[in-house]
Amino acid sequence: MNDLEREFEEMVRKNRGTIYTVCYMFSNDQDEVADLFQEVLINLWKSLPSFEGRSDVRSWIYRVK
């Protein structure tokens, strides 16, 4: 596992609740929330190199599309 993968894993572990909160903003259906969670993780992974750390990671999670 490289440094970027470790950074991502740690970020997800620390912010799992925030990510689920974002997903629940769009649906109350548990299956749909699970799908959304996976989509958010993919988008976060793709966007991680652009995270500059100038804001709190939770703010960044809300902005990633």
Side-chain angles (χ1 to χ4, degrees):
M1 183 180 296
N2 66 37
D3 290 342
L4 187 61
E5 291 168 334
R6 275 190 281 285
E7 179 182 344
F8 181 74
E9 185 178 282
E10 181 72 10
M11 187 258 317
V12 170
R13 186 185 64 74
K14 288 182 177 179
N15 295 285
R16 181 174 297 277
T18 299
I19 298 168
Y20 270 111
T21 297
V22 170
C23 295
Y24 276 110
M25 291 173 149
F26 294 96
S27 177
N28 289 328
D29 178 84
Q30 189 63 34
D31 291 332
E32 193 168 298
V33 168
D35 290 342
L36 289 169
F37 186 84
Q38 291 298 315
E39 289 180 36
V40 169
L41 290 182
I42 291 167
N43 290 338
L44 289 173
W45 173 252
K46 289 178 180 178
S47 300
L48 187 59
S50 68
F51 178 61
E52 298 174 355
R54 292 185 292 164
S55 65
D56 184 75
V57 71
R58 289 174 299 205
S59 298
W60 176 72
I61 289 169
Y62 279 100
R63 290 191 314 267
V64 170
K65 295 181 171 74

